[in-house]
Amino acid sequence: MTKFSSPPVSRPFNFNSTFLGTALAFIVAVLLIVVSGTILYFSPATDKWIPASGLLIFFLSVFSGSFFAAKKAGTKGLFHGLGVGVLFFVLSLIIGLFLGAEIMGLAIGKKLITALLAGSLGGIWGVGDKS
């Protein structure tokens, strides 16, 4: 008689961890914006650094939120990371529109790619992290 093992149980997508990861991403973004603004104000750096620092802040924020969400969920890091990335991107776009920001296609494309890349990497790393 052969004993069959049951297939592994797949846990569903954890919306709670995705929302918490997105909230953390916004907190990290605000903190990094304050630090970056302070550094730019008190340093001899010119305004040419603002776009690069903004994209770096966007990446680090999504990465940290995705890492947290995937670690909290414990599984499906890519999906949780992408969830945080997309949610952060959409919410930041809505906030930007609400505050009167101009929407430019290339800038939106760069931010979307940044959000997807940071979300993917953070989510995969978050599930794989054993600390």
CSV table of all heavy atoms in Angstrom, one decimal, residues 82-126:
chain,number,residue,atom,x,y,z
A,82,LEU,N,5.4,43.1,-4.9
A,82,LEU,CA,4.7,43.9,-6.0
A,82,LEU,C,3.5,44.6,-5.5
A,82,LEU,O,3.2,45.7,-6.0
A,82,LEU,CB,4.4,42.9,-7.1
A,82,LEU,CG,5.6,42.4,-7.9
A,82,LEU,CD1,5.2,41.3,-8.9
A,82,LEU,CD2,6.3,43.5,-8.6
A,83,GLY,N,2.8,44.0,-4.6
A,83,GLY,CA,1.6,44.6,-4.0
A,83,GLY,C,1.9,45.9,-3.4
A,83,GLY,O,1.2,46.9,-3.6
A,84,VAL,N,2.9,45.9,-2.6
A,84,VAL,CA,3.4,47.1,-1.9
A,84,VAL,C,3.8,48.2,-2.9
A,84,VAL,O,3.5,49.3,-2.9
A,84,VAL,CB,4.5,46.9,-0.9
A,84,VAL,CG1,5.1,48.1,-0.4
A,84,VAL,CG2,4.0,46.0,0.3
A,85,GLY,N,4.6,47.7,-3.9
A,85,GLY,CA,5.1,48.6,-5.0
A,85,GLY,C,4.0,49.3,-5.7
A,85,GLY,O,4.0,50.5,-5.9
A,86,VAL,N,3.0,48.5,-6.2
A,86,VAL,CA,1.9,49.0,-7.0
A,86,VAL,C,1.1,50.0,-6.1
A,86,VAL,O,0.7,51.1,-6.5
A,86,VAL,CB,1.1,47.9,-7.6
A,86,VAL,CG1,-0.2,48.4,-8.2
A,86,VAL,CG2,1.9,47.2,-8.7
A,87,LEU,N,0.8,49.5,-4.9
A,87,LEU,CA,-0.1,50.4,-4.0
A,87,LEU,C,0.7,51.7,-3.6
A,87,LEU,O,0.0,52.7,-3.7
A,87,LEU,CB,-0.4,49.6,-2.7
A,87,LEU,CG,-1.4,50.2,-1.8
A,87,LEU,CD1,-2.8,50.4,-2.5
A,87,LEU,CD2,-1.7,49.2,-0.6
A,88,PHE,N,1.9,51.6,-3.4
A,88,PHE,CA,2.7,52.8,-3.1
A,88,PHE,C,2.7,53.7,-4.3
A,88,PHE,O,2.5,55.0,-4.2
A,88,PHE,CB,4.1,52.5,-2.7
A,88,PHE,CG,5.0,53.6,-2.2
A,88,PHE,CD1,4.9,54.0,-0.9
A,88,PHE,CD2,5.8,54.3,-3.1
A,88,PHE,CE1,5.7,55.1,-0.4
A,88,PHE,CE2,6.5,55.4,-2.6
A,88,PHE,CZ,6.5,55.8,-1.3
A,89,PHE,N,2.9,53.2,-5.5
A,89,PHE,CA,3.0,54.0,-6.7
A,89,PHE,C,1.6,54.7,-6.9
A,89,PHE,O,1.6,55.9,-7.2
A,89,PHE,CB,3.3,53.1,-7.9
A,89,PHE,CG,3.2,53.7,-9.2
A,89,PHE,CD1,4.1,54.6,-9.7
A,89,PHE,CD2,2.1,53.5,-10.0
A,89,PHE,CE1,4.0,55.3,-10.9
A,89,PHE,CE2,1.9,54.1,-11.2
A,89,PHE,CZ,2.9,55.0,-11.7
A,90,VAL,N,0.5,53.9,-6.8
A,90,VAL,CA,-0.8,54.5,-7.1
A,90,VAL,C,-1.1,55.6,-6.0
A,90,VAL,O,-1.6,56.7,-6.4
A,90,VAL,CB,-1.9,53.4,-7.1
A,90,VAL,CG1,-3.3,54.0,-7.1
A,90,VAL,CG2,-1.7,52.5,-8.3
A,91,LEU,N,-0.9,55.3,-4.8
A,91,LEU,CA,-1.2,56.3,-3.7
A,91,LEU,C,-0.3,57.5,-3.9
A,91,LEU,O,-0.8,58.6,-3.7
A,91,LEU,CB,-1.0,55.7,-2.3
A,91,LEU,CG,-2.1,54.6,-2.0
A,91,LEU,CD1,-1.8,54.0,-0.6
A,91,LEU,CD2,-3.5,55.2,-2.0
A,92,SER,N,1.0,57.4,-4.2
A,92,SER,CA,1.8,58.5,-4.4
A,92,SER,C,1.4,59.3,-5.6
A,92,SER,O,1.5,60.6,-5.6
A,92,SER,CB,3.3,58.1,-4.4
A,92,SER,OG,3.5,57.4,-5.6
A,93,LEU,N,0.9,58.7,-6.6
A,93,LEU,CA,0.4,59.4,-7.8
A,93,LEU,C,-0.9,60.2,-7.4
A,93,LEU,O,-1.0,61.3,-7.8
A,93,LEU,CB,0.1,58.3,-8.9
A,93,LEU,CG,-0.3,58.9,-10.3
A,93,LEU,CD1,0.9,59.6,-10.9
A,93,LEU,CD2,-0.7,57.7,-11.2
A,94,ILE,N,-1.8,59.6,-6.7
A,94,ILE,CA,-3.0,60.2,-6.3
A,94,ILE,C,-2.6,61.4,-5.4
A,94,ILE,O,-3.2,62.5,-5.6
A,94,ILE,CB,-3.9,59.3,-5.6
A,94,ILE,CG1,-4.5,58.3,-6.6
A,94,ILE,CG2,-5.1,60.0,-4.9
A,94,ILE,CD1,-5.2,57.1,-5.9
A,95,ILE,N,-1.7,61.2,-4.4
A,95,ILE,CA,-1.3,62.3,-3.6
A,95,ILE,C,-0.7,63.5,-4.4
A,95,ILE,O,-0.9,64.6,-4.2
A,95,ILE,CB,-0.4,61.8,-2.5
A,95,ILE,CG1,-1.1,60.9,-1.5
A,95,ILE,CG2,0.3,63.0,-1.7
A,95,ILE,CD1,-0.3,60.2,-0.5
A,96,GLY,N,0.2,63.1,-5.3
A,96,GLY,CA,0.8,64.1,-6.2
A,96,GLY,C,-0.2,64.9,-7.0
A,96,GLY,O,-0.1,66.1,-7.1
A,97,LEU,N,-1.2,64.2,-7.5
A,97,LEU,CA,-2.3,64.9,-8.3
A,97,LEU,C,-3.1,65.8,-7.4
A,97,LEU,O,-3.4,66.9,-7.7
A,97,LEU,CB,-3.2,63.9,-8.9
A,97,LEU,CG,-2.7,63.1,-10.1
A,97,LEU,CD1,-3.6,62.0,-10.6
A,97,LEU,CD2,-2.4,64.1,-11.3
A,98,PHE,N,-3.3,65.4,-6.2
A,98,PHE,CA,-4.1,66.2,-5.2
A,98,PHE,C,-3.3,67.4,-4.8
A,98,PHE,O,-3.9,68.5,-4.6
A,98,PHE,CB,-4.4,65.3,-3.9
A,98,PHE,CG,-5.2,66.0,-2.9
A,98,PHE,CD1,-6.5,66.3,-3.1
A,98,PHE,CD2,-4.6,66.4,-1.7
A,98,PHE,CE1,-7.3,66.9,-2.1
A,98,PHE,CE2,-5.3,67.1,-0.7
A,98,PHE,CZ,-6.7,67.3,-0.9
A,99,LEU,N,-2.0,67.3,-4.7
A,99,LEU,CA,-1.2,68.4,-4.4
A,99,LEU,C,-0.8,69.3,-5.6
A,99,LEU,O,-0.1,70.3,-5.4
A,99,LEU,CB,0.1,68.0,-3.7
A,99,LEU,CG,-0.1,67.3,-2.4
A,99,LEU,CD1,1.3,66.7,-1.8
A,99,LEU,CD2,-0.7,68.2,-1.3
A,100,GLY,N,-1.3,69.0,-6.7
A,100,GLY,CA,-1.1,69.8,-7.9
A,100,GLY,C,0.1,69.5,-8.7
A,100,GLY,O,0.6,70.4,-9.5
A,101,ALA,N,0.7,68.3,-8.6
A,101,ALA,CA,1.9,68.0,-9.3
A,101,ALA,C,1.5,67.8,-10.8
A,101,ALA,O,0.5,67.3,-11.1
A,101,ALA,CB,2.6,66.7,-8.8
A,102,GLU,N,2.5,68.1,-11.7
A,102,GLU,CA,2.3,67.9,-13.1
A,102,GLU,C,2.6,66.4,-13.4
A,102,GLU,O,3.6,65.9,-12.9
A,102,GLU,CB,3.1,68.8,-13.9
A,102,GLU,CG,2.7,70.2,-13.8
A,102,GLU,CD,3.5,71.1,-14.7
A,102,GLU,OE1,4.1,70.7,-15.7
A,102,GLU,OE2,3.6,72.3,-14.4
A,103,ILE,N,1.9,65.8,-14.2
A,103,ILE,CA,2.1,64.4,-14.6
A,103,ILE,C,2.8,64.3,-15.9
A,103,ILE,O,2.4,64.9,-16.9
A,103,ILE,CB,0.8,63.6,-14.7
A,103,ILE,CG1,0.0,63.7,-13.4
A,103,ILE,CG2,1.0,62.2,-15.1
A,103,ILE,CD1,0.7,63.2,-12.2
A,104,MET,N,4.0,63.7,-15.9
A,104,MET,CA,4.8,63.5,-17.1
A,104,MET,C,5.0,62.0,-17.4
A,104,MET,O,5.3,61.3,-16.5
A,104,MET,CB,6.1,64.2,-17.0
A,104,MET,CG,6.0,65.7,-16.8
A,104,MET,SD,7.7,66.4,-16.6
A,104,MET,CE,7.5,68.0,-17.3
A,105,GLY,N,4.8,61.6,-18.6
A,105,GLY,CA,4.8,60.2,-19.0
A,105,GLY,C,6.1,59.5,-18.6
A,105,GLY,O,6.1,58.4,-18.0
A,106,LEU,N,7.2,60.1,-18.9
A,106,LEU,CA,8.5,59.5,-18.7
A,106,LEU,C,8.8,59.4,-17.2
A,106,LEU,O,9.3,58.3,-16.7
A,106,LEU,CB,9.7,60.3,-19.3
A,106,LEU,CG,11.0,59.7,-19.2
A,106,LEU,CD1,11.1,58.3,-19.9
A,106,LEU,CD2,12.1,60.6,-19.9
A,107,ALA,N,8.4,60.4,-16.4
A,107,ALA,CA,8.6,60.3,-15.0
A,107,ALA,C,7.7,59.3,-14.3
A,107,ALA,O,8.2,58.5,-13.4
A,107,ALA,CB,8.3,61.7,-14.3
A,108,ILE,N,6.5,59.1,-14.8
A,108,ILE,CA,5.6,58.1,-14.3
A,108,ILE,C,6.2,56.7,-14.6
A,108,ILE,O,6.2,55.8,-13.8
A,108,ILE,CB,4.2,58.3,-14.8
A,108,ILE,CG1,3.5,59.5,-14.2
A,108,ILE,CG2,3.3,57.1,-14.6
A,108,ILE,CD1,2.2,59.8,-14.8
A,109,GLY,N,6.7,56.6,-15.9
A,109,GLY,CA,7.2,55.3,-16.3
A,109,GLY,C,8.4,54.9,-15.4
A,109,GLY,O,8.6,53.8,-15.0
A,110,LYS,N,9.3,55.9,-15.1
A,110,LYS,CA,10.5,55.6,-14.3
A,110,LYS,C,10.1,55.2,-12.9
A,110,LYS,O,10.6,54.3,-12.3
A,110,LYS,CB,11.4,56.8,-14.2
A,110,LYS,CG,12.3,56.9,-15.5
A,110,LYS,CD,13.5,57.8,-15.4
A,110,LYS,CE,13.4,59.1,-14.8
A,110,LYS,NZ,14.5,60.0,-15.0
A,111,LYS,N,9.1,55.9,-12.4
A,111,LYS,CA,8.6,55.6,-11.0
A,111,LYS,C,7.9,54.2,-11.0
A,111,LYS,O,8.1,53.5,-10.0
A,111,LYS,CB,7.7,56.7,-10.5
A,111,LYS,CG,8.5,57.9,-10.1
A,111,LYS,CD,7.8,58.7,-9.0
A,111,LYS,CE,8.8,59.8,-8.6
A,111,LYS,NZ,8.2,60.7,-7.7
A,112,LEU,N,7.1,53.9,-12.0
A,112,LEU,CA,6.5,52.6,-12.0
A,112,LEU,C,7.5,51.5,-12.1
A,112,LEU,O,7.4,50.5,-11.3
A,112,LEU,CB,5.5,52.5,-13.2
A,112,LEU,CG,4.8,51.2,-13.3
A,112,LEU,CD1,4.0,50.8,-12.1
A,112,LEU,CD2,3.9,51.2,-14.6
A,113,ILE,N,8.5,51.6,-12.9
A,113,ILE,CA,9.6,50.6,-13.0
A,113,ILE,C,10.3,50.5,-11.7
A,113,ILE,O,10.6,49.4,-11.3
A,113,ILE,CB,10.5,50.9,-14.2
A,113,ILE,CG1,9.7,50.7,-15.5
A,113,ILE,CG2,11.8,50.1,-14.2
A,113,ILE,CD1,10.5,51.2,-16.8
A,114,THR,N,10.6,51.6,-11.1
A,114,THR,CA,11.3,51.7,-9.8
A,114,THR,C,10.5,50.9,-8.8
A,114,THR,O,11.0,50.1,-8.0
A,114,THR,CB,11.6,53.1,-9.4
A,114,THR,OG1,12.4,53.7,-10.4
A,114,THR,CG2,12.3,53.1,-8.1
A,115,ALA,N,9.2,51.2,-8.7
A,115,ALA,CA,8.3,50.6,-7.7
A,115,ALA,C,8.2,49.1,-7.9
A,115,ALA,O,8.3,48.3,-7.0
A,115,ALA,CB,6.9,51.2,-7.8
A,116,LEU,N,8.1,48.6,-9.2
A,116,LEU,CA,8.1,47.2,-9.4
A,116,LEU,C,9.4,46.5,-9.1
A,116,LEU,O,9.4,45.4,-8.5
A,116,LEU,CB,7.7,47.0,-10.9
A,116,LEU,CG,6.3,47.4,-11.3
A,116,LEU,CD1,6.0,47.2,-12.8
A,116,LEU,CD2,5.2,46.7,-10.5
A,117,LEU,N,10.5,47.1,-9.5
A,117,LEU,CA,11.8,46.6,-9.2
A,117,LEU,C,12.1,46.5,-7.7
A,117,LEU,O,12.5,45.5,-7.2
A,117,LEU,CB,12.9,47.3,-9.9
A,117,LEU,CG,14.3,46.8,-9.8
A,117,LEU,CD1,14.5,45.5,-10.4
A,117,LEU,CD2,15.3,47.8,-10.4
A,118,ALA,N,11.8,47.6,-7.0
A,118,ALA,CA,12.1,47.7,-5.6
A,118,ALA,C,11.1,46.7,-4.8
A,118,ALA,O,11.5,46.0,-3.9
A,118,ALA,CB,11.9,49.1,-5.1
A,119,GLY,N,9.9,46.7,-5.3
A,119,GLY,CA,8.9,45.8,-4.6
A,119,GLY,C,9.3,44.3,-4.8
A,119,GLY,O,9.2,43.5,-3.9
A,120,SER,N,9.7,44.0,-6.0
A,120,SER,CA,10.1,42.6,-6.3
A,120,SER,C,11.3,42.2,-5.4
A,120,SER,O,11.3,41.1,-4.8
A,120,SER,CB,10.5,42.4,-7.8
A,120,SER,OG,9.4,42.7,-8.6
A,121,LEU,N,12.4,43.0,-5.5
A,121,LEU,CA,13.6,42.7,-4.7
A,121,LEU,C,13.3,42.7,-3.2
A,121,LEU,O,13.8,41.8,-2.5
A,121,LEU,CB,14.7,43.7,-5.1
A,121,LEU,CG,15.2,43.7,-6.5
A,121,LEU,CD1,16.2,44.9,-6.7
A,121,LEU,CD2,15.9,42.4,-6.8
A,122,GLY,N,12.6,43.7,-2.7
A,122,GLY,CA,12.3,43.7,-1.3
A,122,GLY,C,11.5,42.5,-0.8
A,122,GLY,O,11.7,41.9,0.2
A,123,GLY,N,10.5,42.1,-1.7
A,123,GLY,CA,9.6,41.0,-1.3
A,123,GLY,C,10.4,39.7,-1.3
A,123,GLY,O,10.3,38.9,-0.4
A,124,ILE,N,11.2,39.5,-2.3
A,124,ILE,CA,12.0,38.2,-2.4
A,124,ILE,C,13.0,38.2,-1.3
A,124,ILE,O,13.1,37.1,-0.6
A,124,ILE,CB,12.7,38.1,-3.8
A,124,ILE,CG1,11.6,37.9,-4.9
A,124,ILE,CG2,13.7,37.0,-3.8
A,124,ILE,CD1,12.2,38.1,-6.3
A,125,TRP,N,13.6,39.3,-1.0
A,125,TRP,CA,14.6,39.3,0.1
A,125,TRP,C,13.9,39.1,1.4
A,125,TRP,O,14.4,38.5,2.4
A,125,TRP,CB,15.4,40.6,0.0
A,125,TRP,CG,16.7,40.5,0.9
A,125,TRP,CD1,17.1,39.5,1.7
A,125,TRP,CD2,17.7,41.5,0.9
A,125,TRP,NE1,18.3,39.9,2.2
A,125,TRP,CE2,18.7,41.1,1.8
A,125,TRP,CE3,17.8,42.8,0.3
A,125,TRP,CZ2,19.8,41.9,2.1
A,125,TRP,CZ3,18.9,43.5,0.6
A,125,TRP,CH2,19.9,43.1,1.5
A,126,GLY,N,12.7,39.7,1.6
A,126,GLY,CA,12.0,39.6,2.9
A,126,GLY,C,11.6,38.2,3.2
A,126,GLY,O,11.7,37.8,4.4
